């Protein structure tokens, strides 16, 4: 059964504004109105290609709303990056999954490009489409009943628009939790599953995409398909970390594990990069912590030399009572530095960024440009590559709320083909979360160019990018990124999005000749 929006989101969608009632294929424009045309003036909307007077195509009957008002278009022309602006021609706020099916079919008939948008947290126009249709997945926010299984595990099926904070609140009521989280919880399930979903638990459990047991997807051809590792497995593989190229996720069934009630959280300072990386690698190998990340801050001279490992051990019932002595044994952190060790509630730990985000929002900085850089480094070259890249950034302010993250993953836990990582057992994620004043577009443009140059350095060393940041990519770049997975990805694109209409903002596959932008 397709996951439907809640009554609250349907009512919100219905009240949002004047809707669209027809499309003019010749002028390639939408016709807005407060009510549908008289039946004599339009084709039966069950036929999504129906025309009015051989000119206007009647829009399908929808449970939600199709909008062209300036406020809706302007909002979806922006994203969290605030440096790319592509104005859509219309915005769908679906009242049902059937709305998405109907509108994707309609867009196929009339060669209208389509992009799905969750929380709009892309940083480079990835979920934008110029003169096309944006499908907002936020109304698909239902969270189904939690199903408990043997061994302290379970599953839950959720709508693509549900945010991870709501999902974990629902599952914690049953003593269960998704095993992996990105650091910011207010991202949509469909959004993070489209890119991968990496976090501090990934060295133990893989990415979020590695913990999905089934999907419901609307393909680029407008088919509603259920898929899993054993059912339509080619589509399942093409959608997870597939950047929205082959289908729009409308719901996902997530694996759950036993949740702790509290955690032991450490911040451990280091004085040199090599020791910091070696100790992180040790923590991945011996699995003593459930969560391992790390950050690097500049010193008084602007050089990035302040290394801090962030590590968290889960308490009962997910693990034993944390023992500080055992957890820290053998680690070579700077004992004269600012060591933090504290016990937190599990949700408080997962949601620890919320106060900082609220402060940035209050200061207006959340709306600044975010030309982020996200790279995956081969572990055997992580020290040299990180040193080179950090030297290039010396003296450059990452901005209010900006941070540099560097932490290890485990290739043995990463199984999703389209989440491209270096060929190394312990790759490292380097994430530079720049925050720049959008009033200085030259500085933003320079940062974007520098991001691409850093990507080229990492690619030459066998690394890849984690495609949530701001790195301009050519078709050749994408082929290199996907490597041996490219033929299967390209075949799935041709099979499931034959008109190449989905997610054009990623610039992975060119639109067919003659297709409007």
């Amino acid at each position: 059964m397709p996951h439907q929006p809640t009554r609250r989101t349907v009512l919100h969608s219905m009240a949002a504004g004047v809707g669209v009632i027809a499309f003019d294929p010749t002028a390639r424009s939408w016709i807005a109105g407060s009510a549908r045309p008289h039946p004599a003036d339009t084709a039966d909307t069950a036929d999504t290609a129906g025309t009015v007077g051989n000119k206007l195509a009647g829009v399908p009957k929808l449970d939600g709303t199709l909008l062209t008002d300036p406020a809706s278009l302007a909002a979806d022309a922006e994203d969290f990056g605030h440096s790319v602006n592509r104005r859509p021609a219309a915005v769908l706020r679906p009242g049902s999954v059937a709305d998405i099916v109907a509108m994707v079919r309609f867009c196929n008939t009339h060669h209208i490009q389509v992009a799905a948008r969750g929380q709009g947290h892309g940083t480079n126009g990835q979920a934008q489409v110029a003169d096309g249709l944006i499908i907002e997945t936020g109304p698909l926010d239902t969270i189904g009943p939690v199903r408990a299984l043997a061994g302290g595990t379970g599953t839950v099926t959720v709508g693509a628009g549900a945010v991870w904070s709501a999902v974990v609140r629902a599952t914690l009521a049953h003593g269960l939790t998704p095993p992996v989280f990105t650091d910011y919880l207010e991202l949509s399930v469909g959004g993070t599953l489209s890119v991968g979903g990496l976090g501090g638990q990934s060295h133990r459990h893989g990415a979020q995409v590695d913990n999905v047991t089934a999907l419901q997807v609307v393909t680029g051809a407008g088919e509603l398909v259920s898929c899993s590792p054993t059912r339509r497995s080619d589509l399942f593989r093409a959608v997870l970390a597939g950047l929205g190229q082959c289908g729009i996720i409308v719901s996902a069934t997530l694996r759950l594990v036993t949740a702790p009630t509290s955690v032991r959280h450490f911040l451990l300072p280091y004085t040199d990069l090599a020791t910091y990386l070696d100790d992180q690698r040790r923590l991945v190998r011996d699995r003593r912590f459930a969560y391992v990340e790390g950050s690097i801050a500049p010193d008084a001279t602007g050089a990035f030399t302040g290394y801090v490992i962030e590590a968290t051990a889960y308490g009962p019932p997910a693990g034993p009572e944390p023992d500080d002595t055992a957890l820290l044994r053998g680690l070579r952190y700077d004992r004269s530095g600012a060591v933090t060790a504290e016990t937190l509630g599990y949700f408080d730990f997962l949601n620890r960024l919320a106060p900082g985000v609220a402060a940035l929002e209050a200061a207006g900085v959340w709306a600044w440009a975010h030309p982020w850089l996200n790279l995956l480094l081969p572990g055997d070259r992580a020290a040299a590559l990180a040193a080179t890249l950090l030297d290039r950034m010396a003296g450059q302010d990452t901005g209010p709320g900006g941070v540099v993250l560097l932490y290890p993953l485990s290739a043995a836990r990463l199984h999703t083909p389209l989440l491209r990582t270096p060929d190394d057992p312990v790759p490292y994620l380097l994430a530079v979360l720049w925050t720049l004043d959008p009033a200085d577009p030259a500085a933003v443009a320079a940062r974007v160019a520098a991001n691409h140059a850093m990507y080229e350095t990492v690619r030459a060393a066998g690394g890849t990018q984690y495609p949530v940041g701001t790195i301009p990519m050519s078709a050749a770049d994408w082929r290199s990124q996907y490597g041996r997975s490219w033929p299967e990805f390209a075949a799935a694109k041709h099979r499931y999005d034959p008109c190449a209409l989905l997610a054009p903002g990623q610039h992975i596959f060119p639109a067919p000749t003659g297709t409007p932008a």
Side-chain angles (χ1 to χ4, degrees):
M1 176 70 67
H3 251 57
Q4 303 296 340
T6 62
R7 181 175 182 272
R8 172 181 59 81
T9 55
V10 172
L11 292 175
H12 173 77
S13 179
M14 291 171 63
V18 175
V20 174
I21 57 175
F23 177 73
D24 184 339
T26 302
R28 303 209 61 78
S29 62
W30 300 90
I31 311 301
S34 58
R36 294 192 55 78
H38 187 276
D41 298 327
T42 184
D44 186 340
T45 54
D47 175 7
T48 61
T51 60
V52 182
N54 295 321
K55 183 177 181 183
L56 300 184
V59 169
K61 290 180 180 178
L62 300 172
D63 298 313
T65 310
L66 192 62
L67 300 169
T68 58
D69 63 282
S72 297
L73 301 185
D76 284 3
E78 285 283 333
D79 60 21
F80 186 64
H82 297 294
S83 60
V84 175
N85 184 289
R86 301 188 185 104
R87 189 179 180 89
V91 172
L92 173 66
R93 292 185 183 148
S96 64
V97 170
D99 283 358
I100 299 177
V101 172
M103 284 308 303
V104 171
R105 290 178 179 175
F106 184 89
C107 289
N108 265 274
T109 297
H110 299 289
H111 305 291
I112 301 166
Q113 292 186 319
V114 178
R117 176 186 173 97
Q119 292 296 305
H121 208 74
T123 66
N124 197 38
Q126 292 97 328
Q128 296 177 18
V129 54
D131 299 323
L133 176 69
I134 293 288
I135 297 177
E136 295 182 348
T137 62
L140 305 179
D141 61 355
T142 55
I143 300 173
V146 173
R147 181 185 178 203
L149 302 174
T153 63
T155 62
V156 63
T157 299
V158 304
V163 295
W164 287 96
S165 61
V167 173
V168 70
R169 282 189 173 102
T171 63
L172 284 177
H174 302 267
L176 297 170
T177 179
V180 181
F181 292 91
T182 58
D183 287 330
Y184 182 52
L185 295 186
E186 304 308 319
L187 304 178
S188 70
V189 169
T192 65
L193 295 185
S194 293
V195 297
L198 295 174
Q201 303 94 343
S202 290
H203 76 284
R204 295 281 295 268
H205 297 285
Q208 288 178 326
V209 287
D210 297 307
N211 293 278
V212 176
T213 64
L215 293 171
Q216 271 204 327
V217 174
V218 177
T219 69
E223 295 181 316
L224 179 62
V225 181
S226 297
C227 56
S228 72
T230 57
R231 181 181 183 185
R232 301 290 287 270
S233 60
D234 63 328
L235 180 61
F236 188 74
R237 292 192 302 270
V239 170
L240 291 174
L243 304 182
Q245 292 300 306
C246 299
I248 298 168
I249 297 171
V250 293
S251 73
T253 302
L254 310 174
R255 186 174 75 91
L256 305 175
V257 297
T258 300
T261 56
S262 64
V263 306
R264 190 68 170 156
H265 180 241
F266 297 89
L267 298 174
L268 308 173
Y270 284 75
T271 57
D272 71 278
L273 178 61
T275 304
Y276 164 85
L277 295 173
D278 285 347
D279 273 6
Q280 284 184 323
R281 191 175 291 106
R282 173 189 294 210
L283 296 181
V284 168
R285 183 176 63 248
D286 63 24
R287 297 163 57 89
R288 72 179 80 173
F289 287 101
Y291 171 102
V292 176
E293 283 197 13
S295 60
I296 307 174
D299 60 21
T301 71
F304 285 85
T305 59
Y307 314 102
V308 176
I309 288 180
E310 182 179 20
T312 302
Y314 290 178
E321 196 67 44
D323 178 339
D324 287 9
T325 300
L327 289 169
L328 302 180
R329 184 176 293 122
L331 298 180
R332 296 165 291 169
Y333 59 93
D334 178 13
R335 285 160 174 77
S336 67
V339 178
T340 297
E342 59 182 343
T343 298
L344 301 172
Y346 177 60
F347 183 80
D348 293 335
F349 161 68
L350 294 177
N351 201 39
R352 65 199 180 284
L353 296 189
V357 170
L360 293 172
E361 290 176 330
V365 177
W366 197 246
W368 279 23
H370 297 94
W372 285 3
L373 175 69
N374 300 78
L375 301 170
L376 290 162
L377 317 180
D380 61 355
R381 304 192 65 180
L385 281 170
T388 296
L389 301 180
L390 293 171
D391 283 347
R392 289 190 197 175
M393 298 190 308
Q396 301 178 46
D397 186 1
T398 55
V403 65
V404 179
L405 303 176
L406 181 60
Y407 62 88
L409 309 169
S410 173
R413 306 292 171 186
L414 300 169
H415 306 296
T416 300
L418 294 184
L419 179 56
R420 303 301 299 155
T421 60
D423 186 13
D424 187 281
V426 185
Y428 276 77
L429 174 65
L430 173 66
V432 187
L433 310 186
W434 302 95
T435 302
L436 303 182
D437 187 343
D440 187 356
V444 175
R447 183 68 261 154
V448 173
N451 283 354
H452 191 270
M454 295 170 81
Y455 162 69
E456 291 286 4
T457 298
V458 168
R459 180 171 66 171
T464 60
Q465 71 140 319
Y466 179 49
V468 299
T470 310
I471 301 174
M473 297 279 283
S474 67
D477 289 335
W478 283 117
R479 283 178 177 267
S480 174
Q481 166 82 4
Y482 285 104
R484 62 179 178 272
S485 293
W486 177 260
E488 183 179 4
F489 192 22
K493 177 71 171 180
H494 179 73
R495 183 179 307 119
Y496 292 109
D497 184 23
C499 294
L501 298 182
L502 293 183
Q506 300 280 4
H507 300 298
I508 299 173
F509 297 97
T513 303
T515 300

